[in-house]
Amino acid sequence: MADVTNDRALSSERDMISEKVAPTLVGRVLNSFDLVVIFVALVLFISNSSTVQFAGSAIYVFWILGFLTFLIPGAFITAQLGRMFPEEGSLYVWTTKALGRFWGFFAGFVAWWPGVLVMVLTGSLVVSLAQAINASLFTKTWQQGLIVLAVVWFSCLLGTLRFRLTQNYVNVQFVLYSLCLILIGISGFVWLAQGHAAANSFAFHASGLTGWGQWTFFSTVVLALLGIEVKSEKSIKRYLFWGCLVVMIAYVWTTWSTMVVVPVGKNNATYGVVQAVQIAIGHTLGSWVAFILVLIFVSDIVVYNYSFARLMFVSGLERRLPHQLGRVNKNKVPANAVIAQTVIASIVAAIIYFPVQSSSSNYSTKVYLVLLAGVTVVWCTSMVLLFGDVFFVRRAFPEKFREVQRVPWALLAVCGVVGVIADAAAVFLLFWGPWAPIFTKSGWALGVGAITVVSICIGLAIYVVSERGRRGRVGGVASPAESPS
């Protein structure tokens, strides 16, 4: 009985405006298949199968470790917390409930900010894939910048339309994505059937795990598992189970095929999977795969834009950000948040591409990998809070925790501890060495470190400004009538 009383007291103390207002503003039209599609779009960047080739056969150990220590534990904890608090805002809401406003905001920021950077780095991946079709395309940095801006603003356009319409577009792209993944995997079998030997050694001792430099690739398989809005236990089970299964099979399948076909010395860190099809089956078909992947990653930017805009939307409702971001348009989507997010991503892209005058064909690849590494560090910070939340939420709301619990507490506790350790290891190992030989070790560490420090400073600055604004307002809490437009 004491647990119930404490739950109610703490819940009342940490009630959030967004809990009451968001469900009345934002349309909820997702089914289980939609959730799987969104999960795959957020987590499965098949270009990673190209990047990890430099780890040699040891990469299969790192894949297994990543799945067991990060992806699967994250799925269990996300399911538990999602059942307890299925409101808009996911990690932001969960951490606020458990630890209070500062840590809630910080968790929300380090979960949201990588989404902005991913929009830019995915745009750079679109450039790299276009160059896989024709190496002479977009060789100048200003041309690459324009392409990035074009795809980012295209995502903004779709992100402000009726959500069901946008999601149908993304679902069609998912079907095409599946066909590409099957074709990439088949390339390895075609290559071997033609009588060729594997292009790289699969002997475990050839790469081994004795060199610390190899362990930096563990950080490449630590993928961000973000909380996705679900309304029922049935949906949680379906999207987490099938989403995780698709991600694991796709990565192992395409890693194997690329290793069979493409010599590591010729492997491109971003489009090696395309090279596998070009070499094994034919350049023309491989180029079509690259073109379809361009369409896929454009749709991924759409998913990142409308998914991460939800965090800005909730922050607007809570008056952590300008209250205009907590409004929706006639299509019941947070259009102001989508537009604001797009503007921020455009500013980042402009800073990266337009001051630099380089004709290097590796520039887009370097931008992609450094941004991806910086995103990994910041995202790992948010994931530490996610894994830690299972302990904090259980302590704060013991009765509610037990009501929705579907797996033994011991399993959830192990998931939380293992996840935190995996996060810390990934960040440490990421700085140990670059993911591709086109970087020096010092240049890699400097680039990733700069992105990380700047990102954290931006988050803290926003918090300080928002706190002053909240203190300076009398009754500065958004009401349901004030938020919609």
Side-chain angles (χ1 to χ4, degrees):
M1 187 67 181
D3 285 347
V4 177
T5 303
N6 291 338
D7 278 10
R8 288 174 179 171
L10 191 56
S11 179
S12 176
E13 178 186 342
R14 292 177 180 171
D15 275 349
M16 302 174 70
I17 296 296
S18 55
E19 292 181 85
K20 302 179 179 66
V21 178
T24 68
L25 300 181
V26 180
R28 295 176 181 269
V29 294
L30 297 179
N31 55 42
S32 296
F33 179 74
D34 296 329
L35 291 170
V36 172
V37 170
I38 292 173
F39 183 97
V40 172
L42 291 174
V43 177
L44 181 60
F45 264 50
I46 206 60
S47 56
N48 289 331
S49 294
S50 308
T51 307
V52 300
Q53 294 298 314
F54 301 104
S57 59
I59 190 56
Y60 297 102
V61 176
F62 300 141
W63 277 131
I64 293 171
L65 284 176
F67 297 150
L68 294 179
T69 65
F70 189 82
L71 189 63
I72 295 174
F76 276 113
I77 289 177
T78 298
Q80 174 67 21
L81 298 178
R83 291 188 192 101
M84 289 185 69
F85 305 110
E87 293 83 15
E88 294 278 350
S90 56
L91 184 60
Y92 171 57
V93 172
W94 303 337
T95 308
T96 300
K97 289 286 189 182
L99 297 175
R101 292 188 305 184
F102 170 75
W103 287 110
F105 175 85
F106 185 75
F109 176 80
V110 293
W112 164 76
W113 179 245
V116 176
L117 298 183
V118 167
M119 289 169 61
V120 178
L121 72 85
T122 306
S124 70
L125 183 57
V126 168
V127 173
S128 292
L129 288 168
Q131 291 173 340
I133 302 172
N134 186 339
S136 63
L137 291 174
F138 315 125
T139 56
K140 298 185 182 300
T141 53
W142 66 266
Q143 295 172 333
Q144 297 171 9
L146 290 178
I147 296 299
V148 172
L149 290 177
V151 296
V152 165
W153 280 98
F154 176 73
S155 76
C156 177
L157 174 63
L158 289 187
T160 57
L161 299 179
R162 189 165 53 88
F163 189 70
R164 183 68 262 168
L165 177 64
T166 302
Q167 187 61 42
N168 287 343
Y169 163 79
V170 173
N171 290 352
V172 171
Q173 300 299 317
F174 175 79
V175 174
L176 294 176
Y177 201 3
S178 301
L179 294 176
C180 284
L181 296 178
I182 292 171
L183 194 56
I184 292 168
I186 289 175
S187 298
F189 293 102
V190 172
W191 181 256
L192 295 176
Q194 292 172 345
H196 300 289
N200 301 286
S201 173
F202 281 79
F204 185 72
H205 62 80
S207 52
L209 299 173
T210 56
W212 277 105
Q214 291 295 89
W215 280 88
T216 189
F217 288 98
F218 175 71
S219 61
T220 67
V221 303
V222 175
L223 305 171
L225 176 64
L226 302 176
I228 300 177
E229 208 72 12
V230 290
K231 293 184 65 176
S232 67
E233 179 185 349
K234 187 176 181 181
S235 293
I236 291 174
K237 285 182 176 179
R238 285 181 177 177
Y239 101 83
L240 287 177
F241 175 78
W242 289 109
C244 287
L245 188 63
V246 169
V247 167
M248 290 188 287
I249 292 174
Y251 271 132
V252 173
W253 168 262
T254 54
T255 297
W256 173 83
S257 180
T258 305
M259 189 175 290
V260 166
V261 178
V262 185
V264 69
K266 296 181 179 179
N267 174 70
N268 183 282
T270 53
Y271 58 79
V273 290
V274 172
Q275 291 175 298
V277 182
Q278 290 175 329
I279 294 172
I281 302 179
H283 192 276
T284 300
L285 183 59
S287 297
W288 274 106
V289 169
F291 176 73
I292 294 173
L293 287 178
V294 166
L295 301 180
I296 300 304
F297 285 109
V298 169
S299 69
D300 275 0
I301 298 176
V302 175
V303 174
Y304 271 93
N305 208 343
Y306 69 55
S307 296
F308 283 79
R310 261 56 181 176
L311 286 168
M312 290 192 80
F313 168 68
V314 170
S315 294
L317 290 176
E318 297 292 334
R319 297 300 183 94
R320 285 292 172 192
L321 295 175
H323 67 88
Q324 290 86 352
L325 298 178
R327 296 177 178 175
V328 298
N329 64 6
K330 64 181 180 180
N331 295 319
K332 300 198 77 175
V333 299
N336 289 349
V338 170
I339 294 170
Q341 193 167 254
T342 305
V343 170
I344 295 170
S346 300
I347 292 171
V348 173
I351 292 172
I352 291 172
Y353 285 98
F354 294 123
V356 179
Q357 299 301 319
S358 171
S359 58
S360 170
S361 59
N362 282 332
Y363 186 76
S364 61
T365 300
K366 287 183 175 180
V367 168
Y368 171 77
L369 292 176
V370 170
L371 276 179
L372 186 62
V375 161
T376 300
V377 175
V378 179
W379 241 335
C380 279
T381 305
S382 75
M383 292 303 292
V384 166
L385 291 167
L386 172 68
F387 288 119
D389 273 349
V390 75
F391 300 101
F392 301 127
V393 169
R394 182 174 183 262
R395 183 186 64 186
F397 305 96
E399 184 67 23
K400 190 171 185 178
F401 192 96
R402 286 192 293 268
E403 285 178 5
V404 302
Q405 189 175 330
R406 298 293 182 269
V407 298
W409 163 242
L411 176 59
L412 291 174
V414 168
C415 287
V417 172
V418 168
V420 170
I421 293 173
D423 271 326
V427 172
F428 173 77
L429 294 169
L430 189 149
F431 284 96
W432 196 269
W435 286 346
I438 57 178
F439 297 96
T440 63
K441 185 174 181 179
S442 59
W444 172 261
L446 179 63
V448 175
I451 292 171
T452 304
V453 171
V454 169
S455 298
I456 300 300
C457 288
I458 289 173
L460 293 176
I462 293 174
Y463 178 80
V464 170
V465 172
S466 68
E467 273 294 286
R468 289 179 177 176
R470 287 168 68 95
R471 291 170 184 169
R473 287 191 297 265
V474 177
V477 178
S479 66
E482 187 181 16
S483 297
S485 63

